[in-house]
Amino acid sequence: MKLWDKGFSTDKKIDQFTVGNDRELDLVLAKYDVIASKAHAKMLGKIGLLNDAETEALINELNAIAKSIEEGSFTIEDSFEDMHSKIEFLLTEKLGDTGKKIHTARSRNDQVLVAMHLYLKDELNIIKSQTRVLFDLLLNLAETHKEVLLPGYTHLQIAMPSSFGLWFSAYAETLIDDLYFVEAAYKTANQNPLGSAAGYGSSFPIDRSFTTEEMGFETLKYNVVAAQMGRGKVEKATAFGMASIASTLSKLAMDICLYMSQNFDFISFPDELTTGSSIMPHKKNPDVFELVRAKCNKIQTVPNQLTLVINNLPSGYHRDLQLVKEIIVPALQDMKACLEILTFSLKEIKVNTNILEDPKYDYLFSVDTLNELVQGGMPFRDAYKKMGQEIESGNFKPKRDISHSHEGSLGNLCLGEIRAKMEKIT
């Protein structure tokens, strides 16, 4: 069954190629097609294209379909092109001509577009919530381990003293920046495109403000051509939000892989969170974090993948846009999985509290020792030269009782202020 069926059939090869894996992806989106169909049915009743009995019958059957989706019994067989055709078939099977009326004043184009907007709103809220949970954990870890010093590196060379407080809270505050992108994506998705039909509106006197309020959108995508042009763009906005989070998580995962190695030995995890080698019995591998790194690097390619599909398409609908589903839906699942597994694993992190006792880290304190000379009245350039000579001659004696007090330094983490920034966006 096809919504565009005119009584003739297409070649089987054409069917297989054009449908692709839409049926599998539509199982994820079917819930949202039902939500939009219920709003659409109520609107058709409101403007008199359905009577009260027809509206009620459609709502009841759509509720039954929603229940089957929730229970996992809803399927899209090969005889159906997509979720839209299956849902309309079920309505027609139960209600006859009333079921056929559900497609009045809409197109499959605005059907899938509004379903995607609703889906992305939900997914972005979940990602925002998961990010907040990870943020809270990182800030708590920063507070717990704020006194434990950690070597800071530039160019992968020993640089200056850092701390686990700085390290954990750095990633926490960076997640706030990532959520700014997520929030922008949510605003893009929070516009109702239903009623744009095939991209040029409808001659029926539909009430788009009614469906906007019914589905919980903040506003309309008013211009019907602009609504159609939003297909692919809303997915791309979502992809940029995910890519921003993914860049933070992949960097964190890389740090963890380095810090777990014997050469660093800054942190460790319980055996049950690591994996072994098939031939080396001593190995404790950070496979979870390596996979987070790889998955998050894949997620960072998604904006570019979408760009290559939708770039330079003229206005109006094109079948190219079907492919954005198979890019964005799996990426969203990977994003949620990475956030969940990182939070799960980091709860068990163990930090080494004696890292800087190793004499190779003495030079971490060269800047603090130099600064003490400057505070004693020596010009900075002379103090810098004196310190360089002492290091070169092997006479350097580090000042280990350091004191950093400015905002955001290891002695003044401003965790409360960072938390307040997150509160404003979440």
Side-chain angles (χ1 to χ4, degrees), residues 15-34:
D15 274 350
Q16 290 173 341
F17 185 79
T18 55
V19 172
N21 62 348
D22 251 22
R23 297 184 188 97
E24 292 82 0
L25 295 168
D26 277 2
L27 288 175
V28 177
L29 295 172
K31 165 186 173 181
Y32 302 97
D33 191 55
V34 170

Side-chain angles (χ1 to χ4, degrees), residues 345-396:
S345 302
L346 281 171
K347 289 176 183 176
E348 306 299 327
I349 194 170
K350 298 173 182 172
V351 308
N352 181 351
T353 58
N354 302 308
I355 300 169
L356 299 195
E357 291 180 4
D358 190 321
K360 72 170 174 276
Y361 294 122
D362 282 355
Y363 293 135
L364 282 171
F365 301 95
S366 67
V367 175
D368 290 275
T369 309
L370 183 157
N371 289 348
E372 188 174 60
L373 293 175
V374 173
Q375 287 174 324
M378 185 179 292
F380 176 84
R381 190 52 57 202
D382 293 341
Y384 181 90
K385 187 174 181 180
K386 171 180 169 61
M387 193 59 52
Q389 291 170 343
E390 289 183 4
I391 290 170
E392 186 67 26
S393 65
N395 295 318
F396 170 66

Side-chain angles (χ1 to χ4, degrees), residues 115-226:
M116 181 60 76
H117 275 243
L118 290 168
Y119 167 68
L120 292 178
K121 281 179 64 180
D122 272 3
E123 293 293 288
L124 288 166
N125 273 332
I126 292 169
I127 286 170
K128 184 186 282 192
S129 176
Q130 287 184 305
T131 303
R132 177 60 195 264
V133 172
L134 178 58
F135 168 89
D136 287 338
L137 174 61
L138 288 167
L139 272 200
N140 290 338
L141 288 168
E143 177 64 38
T144 299
H145 302 292
K146 64 184 178 183
E147 304 296 339
V148 182
L149 293 183
L150 179 70
Y153 288 81
T154 60
H155 308 276
L156 275 180
Q157 304 292 305
I158 293 168
M160 289 178 64
S162 180
S163 70
F164 279 104
L166 269 181
W167 185 61
F168 285 123
S169 60
Y171 281 104
E173 189 167 10
T174 302
L175 288 173
I176 299 171
D177 294 342
D178 301 333
L179 287 185
Y180 293 147
F181 285 90
V182 172
E183 187 65 20
Y186 187 86
K187 284 183 176 294
T188 304
N190 203 13
Q191 305 173 89
N192 177 24
L194 185 62
S196 57
Y200 300 97
S202 172
S203 60
F204 291 105
I206 58 175
D207 188 340
R208 297 187 64 207
S209 294
F210 175 86
T211 57
T212 298
E213 186 175 344
E214 189 71 22
M215 289 183 286
F217 284 104
E218 182 182 11
T219 187
L220 271 161
K221 192 76 172 183
Y222 289 99
N223 184 293
V224 291
V225 177

Side-chain angles (χ1 to χ4, degrees), residues 382-425:
D382 293 341
Y384 181 90
K385 187 174 181 180
K386 171 180 169 61
M387 193 59 52
Q389 291 170 343
E390 289 183 4
I391 290 170
E392 186 67 26
S393 65
N395 295 318
F396 170 66
K397 292 183 175 53
K399 168 185 162 42
R400 287 180 170 270
D401 55 330
I402 59 175
S403 176
H404 295 191
S405 59
H406 68 76
E407 296 98 324
S409 64
L410 60 84
N412 185 7
L413 295 174
C414 297
L415 301 184
E417 290 82 352
I418 293 172
R419 193 178 296 279
K421 284 172 68 175
M422 176 60 89
E423 294 289 349
K424 287 182 76 171
I425 192 167

